[in-house]
Amino acid sequence: MIGRVAGSAALAAVLTAGATGAAVHAAPKGEPRWRVQQGPAPRLVGSLNQIEFADERHGWAAGVEGPDNELALWKWNGRKWTRAKAGWGFVPAGLAVSGPRQAWATGVTLSAAHALHYNGKKWREVAFPGPGAPVDLAAAPDGTAVSVARNVFDGTNTVQRWKDGRWRPVKVPLPSGSSLAAVAAFSKREIWLGGSRRVGEDAYESLLLRWNGRKWRRIPLKGTSSQQSKAITKIVVDVPGKAWALRGSTKTKLLRWDGKKAGERGLPGGVGALTLTQDGAGGVWLLPYSRSDAKAAPYLRWSKGRWKSFTGPRRNGVVGLGDIELIPGTSRVVSVGGLQQQKPKEHKFPMLEAFR
């Protein structure tokens, strides 16, 4: 998942940008709609910014909670969410799950990068060699796991794969001026990287690469910009050789690489989006940025060649979303974030919603 930091500028953008401007789809009675999903009790101050599922019975959500903003790890068993024992004091930047006995989390503090591995029984801290801070993390059902890190001081990128119980560096032929921001893993023979590349003093182009099991290939994407609005910020692979991606954080574009060429479409109202996931029916769900006073979460769905706009349940507070994920093998989608409440005290609480 993308390195969305709970309480960071990424989440703040969700609370401050404009509304989508698209017509809202009102689900008739009996049809699926966005509903509140209950988390563990008792509720603690904090928010969630990562969610991943292996299947209907195994999933994890991550964020920060408690008065000291400790790492929060919530486990899904197919019926309910429970709080897992954590005890680490870092903010999660990535979360990945490949099965009931394999999950990973990465994160940062002001002084160090951190990585965890779940073996089916407990989480343990493992070395994160870097250099750089983790920005995204992905895993496939076959156990393949890939992490992307970036050193903001010297601009170097690090790609690592999980092998034999540790993170090991991977050589990727990145062009000069590259800045990685996203990774997706479908299998050991299907890995994607995304970001941007600086091509001039104030010019950037999109960067999208695919590993096919033998070599890395750069996917051709047209256009340059005077700002890093061309950066690929999220990638979702639905079948080998094909992928969905988001380009740019403001006035975001939805890209579709069909194996031969890239199609691109803007979001309704020219808004930006935080992330996306598959919808289980050939389309995708997106989390668009919302108003700073939004009492209900906005959602966008691209399905059968058109956009639909949805609204989550009205909340007693301001909503801020952090991540969204399809439960594999279903059409059920779950989103996580934080709910800012003002009474009796101004606190943010973890929030979950599900489309079902």
Side-chain angles (χ1 to χ4, degrees), residues 42-353:
R43 297 176 67 194
L44 296 177
V45 175
S47 61
L48 300 172
N49 69 337
Q50 309 283 339
I51 186 167
E52 284 287 322
F53 293 96
D55 51 45
E56 291 183 81
R57 298 174 55 192
H58 302 93
W60 289 91
V64 293
E65 64 180 3
D68 297 322
N69 283 331
E70 291 188 355
L71 175 68
L73 290 169
W74 292 11
K75 185 179 182 181
W76 174 252
N77 64 5
R79 297 179 294 106
K80 65 179 182 178
W81 291 95
T82 56
R83 185 176 288 106
K85 184 178 180 180
W88 291 279
F90 65 85
V91 178
L95 179 68
V97 183
S98 68
R101 296 180 179 85
Q102 288 274 52
W104 299 263
T106 56
V108 292
T109 59
L110 292 177
S111 59
H114 298 268
L116 303 177
H117 176 249
Y118 179 73
N119 62 6
K121 295 182 179 180
K122 65 180 181 179
W123 289 89
R124 67 182 181 93
E125 189 154 13
V126 295
F128 188 84
V135 295
D136 201 12
L137 180 64
D142 65 2
T144 299
V146 184
S147 172
V148 170
R150 179 161 177 78
N151 190 322
V152 296
F153 297 106
D154 62 14
T156 57
N157 302 274
T158 304
V159 180
Q160 300 174 88
R161 288 184 66 169
W162 182 261
K163 185 178 181 180
D164 299 329
R166 57 181 288 194
W167 288 109
R168 299 175 182 269
V170 175
K171 291 184 178 180
V172 180
L174 295 173
S176 61
S178 296
S179 177
L180 294 179
V183 60
F186 187 84
S187 71
K188 64 181 181 181
R189 295 184 177 87
E190 189 73 29
I191 301 170
W192 294 65
L193 298 172
S196 63
R197 180 193 175 213
R198 187 171 183 172
V199 293
E201 184 176 349
D202 194 25
Y204 299 85
E205 64 183 10
S206 302
L207 183 65
L208 186 61
L209 298 98
R210 178 197 172 211
W211 169 257
N212 64 5
R214 300 183 305 277
K215 63 181 180 179
W216 288 97
R217 176 200 174 194
R218 185 174 178 185
I219 304 299
L221 298 175
K222 298 180 180 180
T224 60
S225 171
S226 60
Q227 299 177 347
Q228 295 194 47
S229 59
K230 292 293 182 180
I232 300 298
T233 60
K234 175 66 179 179
I235 308 167
V236 170
V237 183
D238 48 0
V239 294
K242 299 180 180 181
W244 297 93
L246 292 183
R247 175 153 68 173
S249 57
T250 59
K251 294 187 177 180
T252 304
K253 305 290 186 180
L254 175 65
L255 297 182
R256 175 60 172 173
W257 176 256
D258 64 5
K260 297 181 179 179
K261 62 182 184 301
E264 183 180 51
R265 53 189 58 84
L267 277 58
V271 300
L274 181 63
T275 187
L276 84 162
T277 188
Q278 297 181 64
D279 69 355
V284 287
W285 282 97
L286 284 73
L287 286 185
Y289 299 147
S290 64
R291 299 189 310 270
S292 60
D293 61 348
K295 297 297 181 68
Y299 299 95
L300 282 173
R301 185 179 187 181
W302 175 260
S303 177
K304 299 178 181 178
R306 66 189 184 101
W307 290 106
K308 288 184 178 181
S309 181
F310 294 74
T311 300
R314 185 169 179 81
R315 298 285 199 152
N316 181 27
V318 176
V319 299
L321 294 177
D323 200 8
I324 188 171
E325 186 70 14
L326 171 74
I327 299 179
T330 76
S331 59
R332 187 175 181 181
V333 180
V334 182
S335 69
V336 297
L339 181 65
Q340 188 79 35
Q341 296 179 324
Q342 296 181 341
K343 295 181 180 180
K345 293 182 179 180
E346 188 168 332
H347 287 311
K348 182 178 288 184
F349 292 95
M351 185 185 81
L352 296 108
E353 294 183 356

